Amino acid sequence: MSGVTDLRALRAQTVAGDDDEREHVMPPGHRPGLRHLVEILLEDLDAAHAHDPAARTRLEVALAYPGVHALWVHRLSHRMWHAGLRLPARLLSQVTRWLTGIEIHPGAVIGRRLFIDHGMGVVIGQTAVIGDDCVLFHGSTLGGRSMTRGKRHPTLGNRVMVGAGAKVLGPLTIGDDVQIGANAVVVKDVPAGAVALGVPAHIRFPHQPPAEREKLQDPALIIEYMI
Ligand SMILES: CC(C)(COP(=O)(O)OP(=O)(O)OC[C@H]1O[C@@H](n2cnc3c(N)ncnc32)[C@H](O)[C@@H]1OP(=O)(O)O)[C@@H](O)C(=O)NCCC(=O)NCCS
């Protein structure tokens, strides 16, 4: 599927935005039963362990990673939000913000295996949607540009990376495999596979496809790549 088609498909999923329309944007498979929920929580743990070279054991990640704690609580508060327990869900998310420095509105739809690295200062708005296998660094914001109700926060595809301090503002669509540079301010849609840099962010396309970039980040694979 081309980047443009990807963006259209993502946008079609996310035009709804009012509180009671949020069910429309929940990707299939994201309203799990209890057993499935536990699997998802363990996946979250594994995602943090896999993404952070500093993580030594799963126990360490479970005890010492605020990004994992905030995400786990969000998995619960999101269910409470959709069960009609909106005030308790908001209070729970605010207590978590106080404890972790990460603010995730309970209405936000978050896919599987999100990794929030460091965490402090991350803000994820009510109508934000995040695909699978994304990474958010500290200080990143998925925020709104206006105070109007309805869909006003971004939609991220799969495997999107949002660098430290980056702001993604408005009901934008960020395609799969996009990388948003540290401190960028993104105010327009970004097509799949692109890199967004600067203020306001400009788009460029990397020379290597995302899978090749991943290889080059692993020193062991660089050697393999060169010989
Ligand atoms: C955007 C990013 C993914 C680009 O990585 P990359 O594809 O390896 O790109 P390069 O490092 O080769 O840089 C390519 C160009 O973009 C520039 N650039 C890189 N990151 C930038 C940023 N955040 N803002 C502005 N320009 C940036 C480089 O200076 C270079 O410019 P040039 O072509 O004029 O020389 C990466 O630089 C980044 O910002 N990652 C965020 C990571 C982060 O937040 N870490 C926090 C850890 S605590």
Side-chain angles (χ1 to χ4, degrees):
M1 199 187 271
S2 77
V4 175
T5 322
D6 270 354
L7 281 184
R8 286 199 186 120
L10 264 178
R11 192 193 293 286
Q13 279 186 325
T14 57
V15 281
D18 223 56
D19 284 4
D20 298 324
E21 292 175 296
R22 298 296 299 146
E23 299 293 336
H24 293 296
V25 299
M26 188 163 291
H30 286 263
R31 295 294 306 278
L34 194 61
R35 223 175 74 194
H36 194 195
L37 182 67
V38 171
E39 275 171 31
I40 287 176
L41 300 185
L42 291 174
E43 269 185 5
D44 293 335
L45 191 64
D46 284 343
H49 189 250
H51 273 108
D52 187 353
R56 292 177 313 124
T57 63
R58 282 175 180 72
L59 180 64
E60 182 180 284
V61 174
L63 295 175
Y65 278 58
V68 172
H69 302 154
L71 182 60
W72 279 350
V73 174
H74 174 76
R75 303 282 188 212
L76 174 65
S77 69
H78 186 67
R79 287 163 76 91
M80 291 164 64
W81 181 259
H82 283 286
L85 300 169
R86 297 202 164 184
L87 181 60
R90 283 304 308 267
L91 295 178
L92 183 58
S93 105
Q94 285 304 304
V95 170
T96 310
R97 171 183 181 261
W98 184 67
L99 292 170
T100 63
I102 297 167
E103 179 167 342
I104 310 178
H105 191 286
V109 177
I110 298 185
R112 297 172 75 157
R113 300 175 295 275
L114 172 68
F115 176 45
I116 302 175
D117 201 1
H118 306 294
M120 182 62 78
V122 166
V123 176
I124 302 175
Q126 179 186 359
T127 63
V129 178
I130 300 178
D132 295 336
D133 300 299
C134 292
V135 177
L136 304 183
F137 283 98
H138 54 284
S140 58
T141 299
L142 306 183
R145 285 174 77 181
S146 70
M147 298 298 173
T148 53
R149 293 174 73 82
K151 174 72 177 163
R152 61 192 179 284
H153 302 110
T155 295
L156 273 49
N158 298 321
R159 300 173 299 280
V160 173
M161 187 281 294
V162 185
K167 315 291 183 264
V168 188
L169 303 178
L172 311 177
T173 306
I174 309 298
D176 291 346
D177 300 299
V178 163
Q179 293 194 293
I180 298 175
N183 287 328
V185 177
V186 181
V187 288
K188 289 186 181 151
D189 291 352
V190 182
V195 180
L197 299 171
V199 184
H202 60 273
I203 305 299
R204 70 175 180 84
F205 285 90
H207 298 302
Q208 283 114 10
E212 298 302 305
R213 281 206 310 264
E214 285 286 312
K215 276 187 198 167
L216 289 171
Q217 281 166 14
D218 182 338
L221 290 172
I222 290 176
I223 296 164
E224 193 180 301
Y225 206 73
M226 289 167 68
I227 52 178

